[in-house]
Amino acid sequence: MKILTIVGARPQFVKAALVSEAIQATGGLIEVVVHTGQHYDANMSALFFDQLEIAEPRYNLGIGSGPHGRQTGDMMARLEEVAGQERPDWMLVYGDTNSTIAGALVASKIHLPIAHVEAGLRSFNRRMPEEVNRIVTDTLSTLLLCPTGTAVENLAREGITRGVHRVGDVMLDMVRRARSRAAATRACERLGVASGGFYLVTVHRAENTDNPERLRGILAGLDRLDAPVVFPVHPRTRGALEAIGWRPRDGAAIRLIEPVGYLEMIELAANARAVLTDSGGLQKEALFLGRPCVTLREETEWIETLQGGWNVLAGTSPDRIAEALARPPEDAPPTGAFGDGHAARRIATLLAGHPEAAGCG
Ligand code: UD1
């Protein structure tokens, strides 16, 4: 059975790595990987393939960035050609990016069943491009591979119950696998920050980068923090900071650095006093690593992370950010909600046609 896997953006490389490995280990499955080229900078793409030991994609469509319509449309045109050439039995898509929806739309038009990893996630905010990508992809999917029980419930509320499997979160699998290699990067030492003595910050969601008022709120919040800030800057955010003419004030301990690799990111998150982010993936990674997180948004898809105060929604107001950091989490981090670290294996087994693998308890 042949699977055509579509990836394109940083978080998809992380999710696909262990699933591809599990597919290779499962008899009877052949995987052909297509990289749309949505993320193309070396430190947003090649570095991830290298660190996560992902096989070179058979196709790199080189689509790059652009307005949503053009980016998605260009991907669709090329993916249709590739699907026609490869004649796969399944299309496998990940998460919620424009690469995901492009793959799903193409597959549905040529009657190719779709398997969606990270199905059922909802922010209930349709102004987010990712939310629309999720809803459409889930509607079109045959195999809906959910990371959490909440994701299964979200689908049921939309009337989607067939082909739904709670498999656990492949990002938990990956954090567990990467922990010791992450430590070997000595990322903290190289940046001159001590364990527990700095904050790790990332910002890239359009709602924050494309709204100068929200972006300024976050920056004012960072300016008040009581320890150095390590801030790997996504290219979208670099553009937004330039557009508002912002630079850290003299004497402020805010280190703007280039995007870092997955292993460095895990090492930084594991050692940060707290993580401040609008990324979905990093909210979970902070939890998996037992570090408190402040989410710079008004809502989260990952509501399990909020239990015990491990993740706090603070939006972009400097006061709310400060208040969130002042409340330490209680109890143990609720990582059990994200499965048992064997999600990738379950996904490969389901793809191979062994539905008895469903459900991770
Ligand atoms: C995309 C996804 C988002 C995911 C995120 C992970 C969509 C709608 N959004 O957002 O769900 O969480 O990836 O990072 O698909 N750029 C570069 N170099 C790169 C990649 C991007 O310079 O390697 C710049 C371009 O100027 C581009 C901007 O970043 O305009 C945004 O890139 P884009 O692919 O549109 O979306 P992301 O913000 O990365």
Side-chain angles (χ1 to χ4, degrees):
M1 187 155 55
K2 195 194 257 192
I3 298 162
L4 192 65
T5 295
I6 314 302
V7 292
R10 213 163 42 165
Q12 292 165 330
F13 311 142
V14 176
K15 289 167 201 156
L18 292 184
V19 176
S20 285
E21 188 187 281
I23 287 174
Q24 274 168 40
T26 305
L29 296 182
I30 299 165
E31 185 183 36
V32 173
V33 177
V34 184
H35 185 334
T36 61
Q38 178 167 358
H39 285 175
Y40 46 89
D41 286 348
N43 58 9
M44 300 280 287
S45 177
L47 177 58
F48 283 71
F49 280 79
D50 191 35
Q51 284 195 341
L52 303 175
E53 297 167 339
I54 312 172
E56 190 72 18
R58 184 162 316 162
Y59 298 86
N60 191 324
L61 308 182
I63 303 293
S65 25
H68 287 286
R70 195 173 70 216
Q71 187 182 51
T72 311
D74 286 351
M75 287 175 188
M76 285 180 67
R78 294 296 317 281
L79 286 172
E80 193 169 54
E81 286 167 20
V82 172
Q85 237 162 289
E86 292 289 341
R87 305 194 153 277
D89 302 290
W90 281 95
M91 181 157 319
L92 177 59
V93 297
Y94 289 89
D96 57 17
T97 73
N98 287 343
S99 300
T100 315
I101 197 178
L105 285 170
V106 165
S108 73
K109 304 271 182 198
I110 57 172
H111 307 149
L112 189 59
I114 301 161
H116 183 204
V117 175
E118 214 174 88
L121 269 287
R122 295 293 181 267
S123 65
F124 303 101
N125 172 5
R126 289 198 183 192
R127 291 179 59 82
M128 282 179 82
E130 292 88 347
E131 182 78 349
V132 177
N133 293 344
R134 293 177 191 129
I135 293 169
V136 174
T137 302
D138 285 337
T139 304
L140 300 175
S141 293
T142 299
L143 199 48
L144 296 106
L145 303 157
C146 296
T148 60
T150 306
V152 174
E153 286 163 21
N154 289 339
L155 291 175
R157 219 173 294 125
E158 293 172 21
I160 304 174
T161 51
R162 278 187 61 192
V164 175
H165 300 274
R166 179 179 170 190
V167 292
D169 196 320
V170 288
M171 293 190 70
L172 175 62
D173 302 16
M174 189 46 117
V175 167
R176 290 198 178 162
R177 171 79 74 90
R179 201 60 187 86
S180 60
R181 284 181 64 215
T185 64
R186 297 162 64 184
C188 297
E189 196 184 313
R190 290 199 345 246
L191 283 165
V193 286
S195 184
F198 68 100
Y199 295 98
L200 176 65
V201 175
T202 77
V203 176
H204 79 275
R205 290 249 104 80
E207 72 199 37
N208 288 333
T209 58
D210 299 359
N211 180 331
E213 201 182 318
R214 291 182 66 87
L215 189 56
R216 283 187 199 282
I218 293 172
L219 297 166
L222 300 187
D223 209 29
R224 288 204 208 163
L225 296 180
D226 58 355
V229 171
V230 174
F231 186 172
V233 185
H234 186 288
R236 170 198 283 285
T237 313
R238 181 150 316 261
L241 294 176
E242 278 164 19
I244 63 167
W246 182 85
R247 279 214 196 84
R249 84 183 144 74
D250 285 347
I254 302 181
R255 299 270 305 274
L256 300 182
I257 59 172
E258 288 298 311
V260 298
Y262 176 76
L263 296 175
E264 287 81 3
M265 198 65 181
I266 293 300
E267 181 59 6
L268 290 171
N271 287 286
R273 184 177 298 177
V275 172
L276 296 91
T277 189
D278 61 8
S279 151
L282 194 54
Q283 289 171 50
K284 290 183 294 173
E285 285 160 347
L287 182 85
F288 301 159
L289 295 162
R291 307 311 305 147
C293 183
V294 174
T295 292
L296 306 167
R297 291 176 53 198
E298 306 302 333
E299 72 270 318
T300 179
E301 299 77 11
W302 303 104
I303 57 167
E304 295 83 354
T305 60
L306 302 174
Q307 277 169 40
W310 283 91
N311 185 14
V312 178
L313 295 173
T316 57
S317 123
D319 287 342
R320 283 173 64 199
I321 294 170
E323 279 161 29
L325 284 167
R327 272 181 276 144
E330 294 156 17
D331 308 325
T335 49
F338 296 88
D340 58 4
H342 298 291
R345 206 173 59 201
R346 247 177 233 109
I347 290 168
T349 310
L350 282 163
L351 282 165
H354 299 291
E356 68 274 15
C360 64

